[in-house]
Every structure is written in structure tokens, then in C-alpha cells.
Amino acid sequence: MTRKQRRGVLIGTCLVVLGVAVGLVLYAMRDSIVFFYSPSEVAKMQIAPGQRFRLGGLVETGSVVRGEGTTVRFAVTDKVTTLPVTYTGVLPDLFREGQGVVAEGVLGADGTFQADNVLAKHDEKYMPPEAAQALKGGTFAPGSEIKKP
């Protein structure tokens, strides 16, 4: 084998190893990515019950109903579609009607989003750009990804 051929084989081997490493990193990260959807997109995409995702929008005015203990029912809207949400736990101090919210959980068989984590925004800078664009009447790319904290 000539020197030039050995160099070519070495470079080719390095590229294959690098490609495998990148593939393994992407495969490992796939479980840590949760997609962010507005209520309109959830309705349009017909997400299967039990699939985990993040729901973002505004807490609809007049929709917050406190149940037994720490159970709270409210609706999230993007001013086009509204999706009912059930959450059991302590809500953030900044949670209130008319404010932005991001809830993480699963869609129940009855069409109610069952959240296990709720984040409330504190000012306009907190809202992800995709959510702000969706609330302004635009749409954002399906599958916009947000990493889990």
C-alpha cells in the first residue's frame, strides 16, 4: 500500500467513526426531546392518547376551577382552539388566567390534557418564540423541539 492509499484509508476510517459517534449521540438524545404544540396543532394532528408532549398557550379567562386538594382544572387556548387541562400539584406563583403557560404531560382518552408539570411565564421574554408566533396568529414548525429541564 502506498502512502497516499494509507492516508485515504485513515481518513475514511476516521469519518466512519465520527459518523457512528454522531449517530449514537443523536439516538441517546431522542428521549430527552419533547415537542411543543399549541392547542390548534394538537387538534389538527390528532395526537394519540398517552403520548407525552408539551402544550403551550394562554390560560383561558374564567376557566380555572380548583378541585379537591391540589387538583386544578383549567383550559389552555391559542385564541383559536381550547384544550382542557387537569393538574394535580402546586401551581407556580405566577400562574393566573390570561397568562402564558407551558404544561407537560399526556393527552387522556377523554381529550383532556393531564399535566404533571406546569410552567408559568413571568414576562414576554419567557415565552418560547414558537408560542409567541402561534399566539399572534401565525404557526410554528411542527416538531419544534424543547429539551427537558
Side-chain angles (χ1 to χ4, degrees), residues 35-130:
F35 296 103
F36 180 95
Y37 297 110
S38 69
S40 294
E41 288 180 325
V42 172
K44 193 182 326 175
M45 294 175 60
Q46 297 179 348
I47 295 175
Q51 182 177 344
R52 187 165 190 76
F53 64 97
R54 279 190 177 175
L55 172 69
L58 297 174
V59 178
E60 189 171 46
T61 305
S63 69
V64 178
V65 177
R66 301 199 185 267
E68 273 188 41
T70 58
T71 301
V72 180
R73 295 185 194 321
F74 58 95
V76 174
T77 184
D78 59 2
K79 297 184 180 178
V80 176
T81 305
T82 301
L83 188 67
V85 178
T86 300
Y87 175 69
T88 300
V90 179
L91 287 168
D93 291 338
L94 298 173
F95 179 88
R96 63 182 158 276
E97 296 175 351
Q99 293 293 319
V101 68
V102 176
E104 185 176 341
V106 296
L107 193 62
D110 62 351
T112 299
F113 186 77
Q114 298 164 354
D116 54 31
N117 190 18
V118 174
L119 305 170
K121 73 177 199 105
H122 60 282
D123 64 15
E124 294 302 316
K125 294 178 187 168
Y126 178 80
M127 185 173 289
E130 299 89 355

Coordinates of all heavy atoms in Angstrom, one line a residue, residues 35-130:
F35 N -41.7 17.6 22.2 CA -42.2 18.6 21.3 C -43.2 19.6 21.9 O -43.9 19.2 22.8 CB -42.8 17.9 20.1 CG -41.8 17.1 19.3 CD1 -41.7 15.7 19.4 CD2 -40.9 17.8 18.5 CE1 -40.7 15.0 18.8 CE2 -39.9 17.0 17.9 CZ -39.8 15.7 18.0
F36 N -43.3 20.8 21.4 CA -44.1 21.8 21.9 C -45.2 22.1 20.9 O -44.9 22.4 19.8 CB -43.2 23.1 22.1 CG -43.9 24.2 22.7 CD1 -43.9 24.5 24.0 CD2 -44.6 25.1 21.9 CE1 -44.6 25.6 24.6 CE2 -45.3 26.2 22.4 CZ -45.3 26.4 23.7
Y37 N -46.5 21.9 21.4 CA -47.6 22.2 20.5 C -48.6 23.1 21.0 O -48.8 23.2 22.3 CB -48.3 20.8 20.2 CG -47.4 19.8 19.5 CD1 -47.0 18.7 20.2 CD2 -47.1 20.0 18.2 CE1 -46.2 17.7 19.5 CE2 -46.3 19.0 17.5 CZ -45.9 17.9 18.2 OH -45.1 17.0 17.6
S38 N -49.3 23.9 20.2 CA -50.4 24.7 20.6 C -51.7 23.9 20.6 O -51.7 22.8 19.9 CB -50.5 25.9 19.6 OG -51.0 25.5 18.4
P39 N -52.7 24.3 21.2 CA -54.0 23.5 21.2 C -54.5 23.3 19.7 O -55.0 22.2 19.5 CB -55.0 24.4 22.0 CG -54.1 25.1 22.9 CD -52.8 25.4 22.2
S40 N -54.3 24.2 18.8 CA -54.7 24.0 17.5 C -54.0 22.9 16.8 O -54.6 22.1 16.1 CB -54.5 25.3 16.6 OG -55.4 26.3 17.1
E41 N -52.7 22.8 17.0 CA -51.9 21.8 16.5 C -52.2 20.4 17.0 O -52.3 19.4 16.3 CB -50.4 22.0 16.6 CG -49.9 23.2 15.8 CD -48.5 23.4 16.0 OE1 -48.0 23.3 17.1 OE2 -47.8 23.8 15.0
V42 N -52.6 20.4 18.3 CA -53.0 19.1 19.0 C -54.2 18.6 18.3 O -54.4 17.4 18.0 CB -53.2 19.3 20.5 CG1 -53.8 18.1 21.1 CG2 -51.8 19.6 21.2
A43 N -55.2 19.5 18.1 CA -56.4 19.1 17.4 C -56.2 18.7 16.0 O -56.8 17.7 15.5 CB -57.4 20.3 17.5
K44 N -55.4 19.4 15.3 CA -55.1 19.1 13.9 C -54.4 17.8 13.7 O -54.6 17.0 12.8 CB -54.3 20.3 13.2 CG -54.3 20.2 11.8 CD -53.4 21.4 11.2 CE -53.5 22.6 11.9 NZ -52.6 23.7 11.4
M45 N -53.4 17.5 14.6 CA -52.5 16.4 14.4 C -53.2 15.1 15.0 O -52.7 14.0 14.7 CB -51.2 16.6 15.1 CG -50.4 17.7 14.4 SD -48.9 18.1 15.3 CE -48.1 16.5 15.3
Q46 N -54.2 15.2 15.8 CA -54.9 14.1 16.4 C -53.9 13.2 17.1 O -53.7 12.0 16.8 CB -55.7 13.3 15.4 CG -56.8 14.1 14.8 CD -57.6 13.3 13.7 OE1 -57.2 12.3 13.3 NE2 -58.7 13.9 13.3
I47 N -53.2 13.8 18.1 CA -52.2 13.1 18.9 C -52.8 12.0 19.7 O -53.9 12.1 20.3 CB -51.4 14.1 19.8 CG1 -50.7 15.1 19.0 CG2 -50.5 13.3 20.8 CD1 -50.0 16.2 19.8
A48 N -52.2 10.8 19.7 CA -52.8 9.6 20.3 C -52.8 9.8 21.8 O -51.8 10.4 22.4 CB -51.9 8.4 19.9
P49 N -53.8 9.3 22.5 CA -53.8 9.3 24.0 C -52.6 8.6 24.5 O -52.2 7.6 24.0 CB -55.1 8.6 24.4 CG -56.0 8.8 23.1 CD -55.0 8.8 22.0
G50 N -52.0 9.2 25.6 CA -50.9 8.6 26.2 C -49.5 9.1 25.7 O -48.5 8.8 26.3
Q51 N -49.5 9.8 24.6 CA -48.3 10.3 24.0 C -47.8 11.5 24.8 O -48.6 12.5 25.0 CB -48.4 10.6 22.6 CG -47.1 11.1 21.9 CD -47.2 11.4 20.5 OE1 -48.2 11.0 19.8 NE2 -46.3 12.1 19.9
R52 N -46.6 11.6 25.2 CA -46.1 12.7 26.0 C -45.6 13.8 25.2 O -45.0 13.6 24.2 CB -44.9 12.2 26.9 CG -44.4 13.1 27.8 CD -43.5 12.4 28.8 NE -43.2 13.3 29.9 CZ -44.0 13.6 30.9 NH1 -45.2 13.1 31.0 NH2 -43.6 14.5 31.8
F53 N -46.1 15.1 25.5 CA -45.6 16.3 24.8 C -45.9 17.5 25.7 O -46.4 17.4 26.8 CB -46.4 16.4 23.5 CG -47.9 16.6 23.6 CD1 -48.4 17.9 23.5 CD2 -48.7 15.5 23.8 CE1 -49.8 18.0 23.6 CE2 -50.1 15.7 23.9 CZ -50.6 17.0 23.8
R54 N -45.4 18.6 25.2 CA -45.7 19.9 25.9 C -46.8 20.7 25.2 O -46.8 20.7 23.9 CB -44.4 20.7 25.9 CG -43.5 20.3 27.0 CD -42.3 21.2 27.2 NE -41.5 20.8 28.3 CZ -40.4 21.4 28.6 NH1 -40.0 22.5 28.0 NH2 -39.7 20.9 29.7
L55 N -47.6 21.3 26.0 CA -48.7 22.1 25.5 C -48.5 23.5 25.9 O -48.2 23.8 27.1 CB -50.0 21.6 26.0 CG -51.3 22.4 25.8 CD1 -51.7 22.3 24.3 CD2 -52.4 21.9 26.7
G56 N -48.6 24.5 25.0 CA -48.3 25.9 25.3 C -49.4 26.8 24.8 O -50.0 26.5 23.8
G57 N -49.7 27.8 25.6 CA -50.7 28.8 25.2 C -51.0 29.7 26.4 O -50.2 29.9 27.3
L58 N -52.2 30.3 26.3 CA -52.7 31.1 27.4 C -53.7 30.4 28.2 O -54.5 29.6 27.7 CB -53.3 32.4 26.8 CG -52.4 33.3 26.0 CD1 -53.3 34.4 25.4 CD2 -51.3 33.9 26.9
V59 N -53.7 30.7 29.5 CA -54.7 30.1 30.4 C -56.0 30.9 30.1 O -56.0 32.2 30.2 CB -54.4 30.3 31.9 CG1 -55.5 29.8 32.8 CG2 -53.1 29.6 32.2
E60 N -57.1 30.2 29.7 CA -58.3 30.9 29.3 C -58.9 31.6 30.5 O -59.1 31.0 31.6 CB -59.2 29.9 28.7 CG -60.5 30.6 28.0 CD -61.3 29.6 27.2 OE1 -61.5 28.5 27.7 OE2 -61.7 29.9 26.1
T61 N -59.4 32.8 30.3 CA -60.0 33.6 31.4 C -61.3 32.9 31.8 O -62.1 32.5 31.0 CB -60.3 35.0 30.9 OG1 -59.1 35.6 30.4 CG2 -60.9 35.8 32.0
G62 N -61.5 32.7 33.1 CA -62.7 32.1 33.7 C -62.7 30.6 33.6 O -63.7 30.0 34.0
S63 N -61.6 30.0 33.3 CA -61.5 28.5 33.2 C -60.9 27.8 34.4 O -61.0 26.6 34.5 CB -60.8 28.1 31.9 OG -59.4 28.4 32.0
V64 N -60.3 28.5 35.3 CA -59.6 27.9 36.4 C -60.6 27.5 37.5 O -61.4 28.3 38.0 CB -58.5 28.8 37.0 CG1 -57.9 28.2 38.2 CG2 -57.5 29.2 36.0
V65 N -60.6 26.1 37.7 CA -61.5 25.6 38.7 C -60.7 24.7 39.7 O -60.0 23.8 39.2 CB -62.6 24.7 38.1 CG1 -63.5 24.1 39.2 CG2 -63.4 25.5 37.1
R66 N -60.7 25.1 40.9 CA -59.9 24.3 41.9 C -60.8 23.2 42.5 O -61.9 23.5 42.9 CB -59.4 25.3 43.0 CG -58.5 26.4 42.4 CD -57.6 27.0 43.4 NE -56.9 28.1 42.8 CZ -55.7 28.0 42.3 NH1 -55.1 26.9 42.2 NH2 -55.1 29.1 41.7
G67 N -60.2 22.0 42.5 CA -61.0 20.9 43.0 C -60.5 20.5 44.4 O -59.9 21.3 45.1
E68 N -60.7 19.2 44.7 CA -60.2 18.7 46.0 C -58.7 18.7 46.1 O -58.0 18.4 45.1 CB -60.7 17.3 46.2 CG -62.1 17.1 46.8 CD -62.4 15.7 47.1 OE1 -61.5 15.0 47.6 OE2 -63.6 15.3 46.8
G69 N -58.2 19.1 47.2 CA -56.8 19.1 47.5 C -56.1 20.1 46.5 O -56.4 21.2 46.4
T70 N -55.1 19.5 45.8 CA -54.3 20.4 44.9 C -54.7 20.2 43.4 O -53.9 20.6 42.6 CB -52.8 20.1 45.1 OG1 -52.6 18.7 44.9 CG2 -52.3 20.4 46.5
T71 N -55.8 19.6 43.2 CA -56.2 19.4 41.8 C -56.8 20.6 41.2 O -57.7 21.3 41.9 CB -57.3 18.2 41.7 OG1 -56.7 17.0 42.2 CG2 -57.7 18.0 40.3
V72 N -56.4 21.0 40.0 CA -56.8 22.2 39.4 C -57.2 21.9 37.9 O -56.4 21.1 37.3 CB -55.7 23.3 39.4 CG1 -56.2 24.6 38.7 CG2 -55.3 23.6 40.8
R73 N -58.3 22.4 37.5 CA -58.7 22.2 36.1 C -58.7 23.6 35.5 O -59.2 24.6 36.0 CB -60.1 21.6 36.0 CG -60.2 20.2 36.5 CD -61.6 19.7 36.2 NE -62.1 18.5 36.9 CZ -61.4 17.4 37.2 NH1 -60.1 17.3 36.8 NH2 -61.9 16.3 37.7
F74 N -58.2 23.7 34.3 CA -58.2 25.0 33.5 C -58.1 24.6 32.0 O -58.0 23.5 31.7 CB -57.0 25.9 34.0 CG -55.6 25.3 33.8 CD1 -54.9 25.5 32.7 CD2 -55.1 24.5 34.8 CE1 -53.6 25.0 32.5 CE2 -53.8 23.9 34.7 CZ -53.1 24.2 33.5
A75 N -58.2 25.6 31.2 CA -58.2 25.5 29.8 C -57.0 26.3 29.2 O -56.8 27.4 29.6 CB -59.5 25.9 29.1
V76 N -56.3 25.7 28.2 CA -55.2 26.4 27.5 C -55.7 26.7 26.2 O -56.3 25.9 25.5 CB -54.0 25.6 27.5 CG1 -52.9 26.2 26.7 CG2 -53.4 25.3 28.9
T77 N -55.5 28.0 25.7 CA -56.0 28.4 24.4 C -54.9 29.1 23.6 O -54.0 29.6 24.2 CB -57.2 29.3 24.5 OG1 -57.7 29.6 23.2 CG2 -56.9 30.6 25.3
D78 N -55.0 29.0 22.3 CA -54.2 29.8 21.5 C -55.0 30.8 20.7 O -54.6 31.3 19.6 CB -53.4 28.9 20.5 CG -54.2 28.1 19.6 OD1 -55.5 28.2 19.7 OD2 -53.7 27.3 18.8
K79 N -56.2 31.1 21.2 CA -57.2 32.1 20.7 C -57.9 31.5 19.5 O -58.7 32.2 18.8 CB -56.6 33.4 20.4 CG -56.0 34.1 21.6 CD -55.5 35.5 21.3 CE -55.0 36.2 22.6 NZ -54.5 37.5 22.4
V80 N -57.6 30.3 19.1 CA -58.4 29.6 18.0 C -59.0 28.3 18.6 O -60.2 28.1 18.4 CB -57.4 29.2 16.9 CG1 -58.1 28.4 15.8 CG2 -56.7 30.5 16.3
T81 N -58.2 27.5 19.3 CA -58.7 26.3 19.9 C -58.4 26.3 21.4 O -57.4 26.8 21.8 CB -58.0 25.1 19.2 OG1 -58.2 25.2 17.8 CG2 -58.5 23.8 19.7
T82 N -59.3 25.6 22.1 CA -59.1 25.5 23.6 C -59.0 24.0 23.9 O -59.7 23.2 23.4 CB -60.3 26.1 24.3 OG1 -60.3 27.5 23.9 CG2 -60.1 26.1 25.8
L83 N -58.1 23.7 24.9 CA -57.9 22.3 25.3 C -57.9 22.3 26.8 O -57.2 23.0 27.5 CB -56.5 21.8 24.9 CG -56.2 20.4 25.1 CD1 -57.1 19.5 24.2 CD2 -54.8 20.1 24.7
P84 N -58.8 21.5 27.4 CA -58.9 21.4 28.9 C -57.7 20.7 29.5 O -57.2 19.7 28.9 CB -60.2 20.6 29.1 CG -60.5 19.8 27.8 CD -59.8 20.6 26.7
V85 N -57.3 21.2 30.6 CA -56.1 20.6 31.3 C -56.5 20.3 32.7 O -57.2 21.0 33.4 CB -55.0 21.6 31.3 CG1 -53.7 21.1 32.0 CG2 -54.6 22.0 29.8
T86 N -56.0 19.2 33.2 CA -56.1 18.8 34.6 C -54.7 18.7 35.2 O -53.8 18.0 34.6 CB -56.8 17.4 34.8 OG1 -58.1 17.5 34.2 CG2 -56.9 17.1 36.3
Y87 N -54.5 19.3 36.4 CA -53.1 19.2 37.0 C -53.3 19.0 38.5 O -54.2 19.6 39.1 CB -52.4 20.5 36.8 CG -51.1 20.6 37.5 CD1 -50.0 19.8 37.1 CD2 -50.9 21.5 38.5 CE1 -48.8 19.9 37.8 CE2 -49.7 21.6 39.2 CZ -48.6 20.8 38.8 OH -47.4 20.9 39.5
T88 N -52.6 18.1 39.1 CA -52.6 17.9 40.5 C -51.2 18.2 41.0 O -50.2 17.6 40.6 CB -52.9 16.4 40.8 OG1 -54.2 16.1 40.3 CG2 -52.9 16.2 42.3
G89 N -51.1 19.2 41.9 CA -49.9 19.7 42.4 C -49.9 21.1 42.7 O -51.0 21.8 42.6
V90 N -48.8 21.7 43.1 CA -48.8 23.1 43.5 C -48.4 23.9 42.2 O -47.4 23.6 41.6 CB -47.7 23.4 44.6 CG1 -47.6 24.8 44.9 CG2 -48.0 22.5 45.8
L91 N -49.3 24.8 41.9 CA -49.1 25.6 40.7 C -48.0 26.7 41.0 O -47.9 27.2 42.1 CB -50.4 26.3 40.3 CG -51.4 25.4 39.6 CD1 -52.7 26.1 39.5 CD2 -50.9 24.9 38.3
P92 N -47.3 27.2 40.0 CA -46.3 28.3 40.2 C -47.1 29.5 40.7 O -48.2 29.8 40.4 CB -45.8 28.5 38.8 CG -46.1 27.3 38.0 CD -47.3 26.7 38.6
D93 N -46.3 30.4 41.4 CA -46.9 31.6 41.9 C -47.4 32.5 40.8 O -48.4 33.3 41.0 CB -45.9 32.4 42.8 CG -45.6 31.6 44.1 OD1 -46.4 30.8 44.5 OD2 -44.5 31.9 44.6
L94 N -46.8 32.5 39.7 CA -47.2 33.4 38.6 C -48.3 32.8 37.7 O -48.7 33.5 36.8 CB -46.0 33.6 37.7 CG -44.8 34.3 38.4 CD1 -43.6 34.4 37.5 CD2 -45.2 35.7 38.9
F95 N -48.9 31.7 38.0 CA -50.0 31.1 37.3 C -51.2 31.9 37.5 O -51.6 32.1 38.7 CB -50.2 29.6 37.7 CG -51.3 29.0 37.0 CD1 -51.1 28.3 35.8 CD2 -52.6 29.0 37.5 CE1 -52.1 27.7 35.1 CE2 -53.6 28.4 36.9 CZ -53.4 27.7 35.7
R96 N -51.9 32.3 36.5 CA -53.2 33.0 36.6 C -53.8 33.1 35.2 O -53.2 32.9 34.2 CB -53.0 34.4 37.2 CG -52.2 35.4 36.4 CD -52.1 36.7 37.2 NE -51.0 37.5 36.8 CZ -49.8 37.4 37.3 NH1 -49.5 36.5 38.2 NH2 -48.8 38.2 36.9
E97 N -55.1 33.4 35.2 CA -55.8 33.5 33.9 C -55.3 34.6 33.1 O -54.9 35.6 33.5 CB -57.3 33.7 34.3 CG -57.9 32.6 35.0 CD -59.4 32.9 35.4 OE1 -59.8 34.0 35.3 OE2 -60.0 32.0 36.0
G98 N -55.3 34.3 31.8 CA -54.8 35.3 30.8 C -53.3 35.3 30.6 O -52.8 36.0 29.8
Q99 N -52.6 34.5 31.4 CA -51.1 34.5 31.3 C -50.6 33.2 30.5 O -51.4 32.2 30.4 CB -50.5 34.4 32.7 CG -50.7 35.7 33.5 CD -50.0 36.9 32.9 OE1 -48.8 36.8 32.5 NE2 -50.6 38.0 32.8
G100 N -49.4 33.3 30.0 CA -48.9 32.2 29.2 C -48.5 31.1 30.2 O -48.1 31.2 31.3
V101 N -48.6 29.8 29.6 CA -48.3 28.7 30.4 C -47.8 27.6 29.5 O -48.1 27.5 28.3 CB -49.6 28.1 31.1 CG1 -50.6 27.6 30.2 CG2 -49.3 27.1 32.2
V102 N -46.9 26.8 30.0 CA -46.4 25.6 29.3 C -46.7 24.4 30.2 O -46.2 24.4 31.3 CB -44.9 25.7 28.9 CG1 -44.4 24.4 28.3 CG2 -44.7 26.9 28.0
A103 N -47.4 23.4 29.8 CA -47.7 22.2 30.6 C -47.2 21.0 29.9 O -47.3 20.9 28.7 CB -49.2 22.1 30.7
E104 N -46.6 20.1 30.7 CA -46.0 18.9 30.1 C -46.8 17.7 30.7 O -47.1 17.7 31.9 CB -44.5 18.8 30.5 CG -43.9 17.6 29.9 CD -42.4 17.6 30.3 OE1 -41.8 18.6 30.7 OE2 -41.8 16.5 30.2
G105 N -47.2 16.8 29.8 CA -47.9 15.7 30.3 C -48.4 14.8 29.1 O -47.8 14.8 28.0
V106 N -49.6 14.2 29.3 CA -50.1 13.3 28.3 C -51.6 13.6 28.0 O -52.3 14.2 28.8 CB -50.0 11.8 28.7 CG1 -48.6 11.4 28.8 CG2 -50.8 11.5 30.0
L107 N -52.0 13.3 26.8 CA -53.4 13.5 26.4 C -54.2 12.3 26.9 O -53.9 11.2 26.6 CB -53.5 13.7 24.9 CG -54.8 14.2 24.4 CD1 -55.1 15.6 24.9 CD2 -54.8 14.3 22.9
G108 N -55.3 12.5 27.6 CA -56.2 11.4 28.1 C -57.1 11.0 27.0 O -57.3 11.6 26.0
A109 N -57.7 9.8 27.2 CA -58.7 9.2 26.3 C -59.9 10.1 26.1 O -60.5 10.1 25.0 CB -59.1 7.9 26.7
D110 N -60.2 10.9 27.1 CA -61.4 11.8 27.0 C -61.1 13.2 26.4 O -61.9 14.0 26.3 CB -62.0 12.1 28.4 CG -61.0 12.7 29.3 OD1 -59.8 12.9 29.0 OD2 -61.5 13.1 30.4
G111 N -59.8 13.4 25.9 CA -59.4 14.6 25.3 C -58.9 15.7 26.2 O -58.6 16.8 25.8
T112 N -58.8 15.3 27.5 CA -58.3 16.3 28.5 C -56.8 16.0 28.6 O -56.3 14.9 28.7 CB -58.9 16.0 29.9 OG1 -60.3 16.3 29.7 CG2 -58.4 17.0 30.9
F113 N -56.0 17.1 28.6 CA -54.6 17.0 28.8 C -54.3 16.9 30.3 O -54.7 17.7 31.1 CB -53.9 18.3 28.3 CG -52.4 18.3 28.3 CD1 -51.7 17.5 27.3 CD2 -51.7 18.9 29.2 CE1 -50.3 17.5 27.3 CE2 -50.3 18.9 29.2 CZ -49.6 18.2 28.3
Q114 N -53.6 15.8 30.7 CA -53.3 15.5 32.1 C -51.8 16.0 32.3 O -50.9 15.2 31.9 CB -53.5 14.1 32.4 CG -55.0 13.7 32.2 CD -55.2 12.2 32.1 OE1 -54.3 11.4 32.1 NE2 -56.4 11.8 32.1
A115 N -51.6 17.1 32.9 CA -50.3 17.7 33.1 C -49.7 17.2 34.4 O -50.4 17.0 35.4 CB -50.4 19.2 33.1
D116 N -48.4 16.9 34.3 CA -47.6 16.6 35.5 C -46.6 17.6 35.8 O -45.9 17.5 36.8 CB -47.0 15.2 35.4 CG -46.2 15.0 34.2 OD1 -45.6 16.0 33.7 OD2 -46.1 13.9 33.7
N117 N -46.5 18.6 35.0 CA -45.6 19.8 35.2 C -46.2 21.0 34.5 O -46.6 20.9 33.4 CB -44.2 19.4 34.6 CG -43.2 20.4 35.1 OD1 -43.3 21.2 36.0 ND2 -42.0 20.4 34.3
V118 N -46.2 22.1 35.3 CA -46.8 23.3 34.7 C -45.8 24.5 35.0 O -45.3 24.6 36.1 CB -48.1 23.7 35.3 CG1 -48.6 25.1 34.9 CG2 -49.2 22.6 35.0
L119 N -45.5 25.2 33.9 CA -44.6 26.4 34.0 C -45.4 27.6 33.6 O -46.1 27.6 32.6 CB -43.4 26.2 33.0 CG -42.6 24.9 33.2 CD1 -41.6 24.8 32.0 CD2 -41.8 24.9 34.5
A120 N -45.2 28.6 34.4 CA -45.9 29.9 34.1 C -44.9 30.9 33.7 O -43.8 31.0 34.2 CB -46.7 30.4 35.3
K121 N -45.3 31.8 32.7 CA -44.3 32.8 32.3 C -44.4 34.0 33.2 O -45.4 34.3 33.8 CB -44.6 33.2 30.8 CG -45.8 34.0 30.6 CD -45.9 34.4 29.1 CE -46.8 35.6 29.0 NZ -46.2 36.8 28.7
H122 N -43.3 34.7 33.2 CA -43.2 35.9 34.1 C -43.2 37.2 33.3 O -43.5 38.2 33.9 CB -42.0 35.8 35.1 CG -40.7 35.7 34.4 ND1 -40.2 34.6 33.9 CD2 -39.8 36.7 34.2 CE1 -39.0 34.8 33.3 NE2 -38.7 36.1 33.5
D123 N -42.8 37.1 32.1 CA -42.9 38.3 31.2 C -42.8 37.9 29.8 O -42.7 36.7 29.5 CB -41.8 39.3 31.5 CG -40.4 38.8 31.3 OD1 -40.3 37.8 30.6 OD2 -39.4 39.5 31.8
E124 N -42.9 38.8 28.8 CA -42.9 38.4 27.4 C -41.7 37.7 27.0 O -41.7 37.0 26.0 CB -43.1 39.7 26.6 CG -44.5 40.4 26.8 CD -45.6 39.4 26.5 OE1 -45.6 38.7 25.5 OE2 -46.6 39.4 27.3
K125 N -40.6 37.9 27.6 CA -39.3 37.3 27.2 C -39.3 35.8 27.5 O -38.5 35.1 27.0 CB -38.1 38.0 27.9 CG -38.0 39.4 27.4 CD -36.8 40.1 28.1 CE -36.8 41.5 27.7 NZ -35.9 42.3 28.5
Y126 N -40.1 35.4 28.5 CA -40.1 34.0 28.9 C -40.7 33.0 27.9 O -40.3 31.9 27.7 CB -40.9 33.8 30.2 CG -41.0 32.4 30.7 CD1 -39.9 31.8 31.4 CD2 -42.1 31.7 30.5 CE1 -40.0 30.5 31.8 CE2 -42.2 30.4 31.0 CZ -41.1 29.8 31.6 OH -41.2 28.5 32.1
M127 N -41.7 33.5 27.1 CA -42.4 32.6 26.2 C -41.5 32.2 25.0 O -40.9 33.1 24.5 CB -43.7 33.3 25.7 CG -44.5 32.4 24.8 SD -46.0 33.2 24.3 CE -46.9 33.1 25.8
P128 N -41.5 30.9 24.7 CA -40.7 30.5 23.6 C -41.2 31.2 22.3 O -42.4 31.5 22.2 CB -41.0 29.0 23.5 CG -41.5 28.6 24.9 CD -42.2 29.8 25.4
P129 N -40.2 31.5 21.4 CA -40.6 32.2 20.2 C -41.7 31.5 19.4 O -42.6 32.1 18.8 CB -39.3 32.2 19.4 CG -38.2 31.9 20.3 CD -38.8 31.2 21.5
E130 N -41.7 30.2 19.4 CA -42.7 29.4 18.7 C -44.1 29.7 19.3 O -45.1 29.9 18.5 CB -42.5 27.9 18.8 CG -41.1 27.5 18.2 CD -40.0 27.5 19.2 OE1 -40.2 28.0 20.4 OE2 -38.9 27.1 18.9

